[in-house]
Amino acid sequence: MPLFSFKPSVVPPATPENAAGAWTATLRRWTDAVLYSSTWLALAALALTWATFLFWRVDIPVRLGLMIFTATLFLYNIDSVLPYKHGQPLVLSGRKRWMLEHRRELLALALASLAVAGLLFFLDGWQHLTLFLGHLAAISLLYSLPIAKVRGRWRALRDLPLLKVFLIAYVWAAITVWVPALYLAKPLFGPVVLVLFARRFFFILALAFVFDIRDYTKDQLTGTRTFPGVFGVRATKWVALLSLALAYLLFPFDIGYEHLVVLSLPTVAAAATIWYAEETRSDYYFALLTDGIMILQFLAVYFVS
């Protein structure tokens, strides 16, 4: 018997089906990378900030947009690689599995994003707003970072009962409404800015409830008390729809009828996304569709501007 035997591999013939399968696999890999690295979410933060500038008919400063984009990338990716989170009881979805497999790349992306955001912060003279921006960064970092030990288990801000959706809505509204207002030297508590802030707050709050539904089992396992866990999924959907209705009613005072019709489209899409949200939905339902509602909101504002 020979020491080595060689069997030529059989190369499947090139067919349209094989080509289509390879193209689909490549598309899926890139889609997963964009969604699960929080790039899509960072684009949503940029889009909502841009929408606020569009309301005041001002072009978004490119460097400010880049700073918000990279800061969002940093905060969400550093959250996804926190060591303590990998000791939690996990329900391994495709999203979680992808993040575990790419922890090193996510950490590198987070650090590179921090470097860019930090450089732009200093170059563009935002130091006078260190306290304001610092408190938003602190909430974002402490949202998942253990800060206190309660009954033998480390707890983060998100673990405080029913609080996490309100923290998310506040930080997103502050970044995407108050930062543009500060850039344009508008009073944060002026009537127009307050209406825009409240509208954005309730809009993000409605979408945040969808992610509470997604995380229902994980939050139960970690002891985090959220709206679905306390009141049930159906009741949570009604609260989310109420929040969305409040966001819709808080239109600026001088908006025209045709603008109202176009700007209703993201609200209708968000309502459908909320109503059909289930924990068993695909990761794409949450990462692509639900986060995509924010980009749809920007497109509607861009269309009517």
Side-chain angles (χ1 to χ4, degrees), residues 101-181:
E101 292 172 354
H102 296 85
R103 285 180 66 189
R104 185 175 298 177
E105 293 87 348
L106 292 177
L107 178 59
L109 179 59
L111 295 178
S113 299
L114 176 62
V116 174
L119 181 63
L120 291 171
F121 175 84
F122 286 104
L123 289 180
D124 292 349
W126 289 91
Q127 292 90 322
H128 64 291
L129 294 177
T130 298
L131 194 59
F132 171 77
L133 295 175
H135 96 280
L136 297 177
I139 292 173
S140 301
L141 289 170
L142 297 178
Y143 173 81
S144 291
L145 195 66
I147 55 175
K149 205 168 189 177
V150 180
R151 298 177 183 176
R153 178 176 291 178
W154 285 99
R155 297 290 184 178
L157 284 179
R158 73 188 303 279
D159 295 315
L160 295 176
L162 308 180
L163 184 62
K164 70 174 190 173
V165 288
F166 297 101
L167 292 175
I168 293 169
Y170 171 72
V171 170
W172 274 74
I175 290 295
T176 62
V177 174
W178 275 349
V179 168

Side-chain angles (χ1 to χ4, degrees), residues 74-86:
F74 163 70
L75 290 169
Y76 276 88
N77 281 306
I78 204 67
D79 174 81
S80 68
V81 299
L82 287 174
Y84 95 98
K85 296 186 76 171
H86 301 287

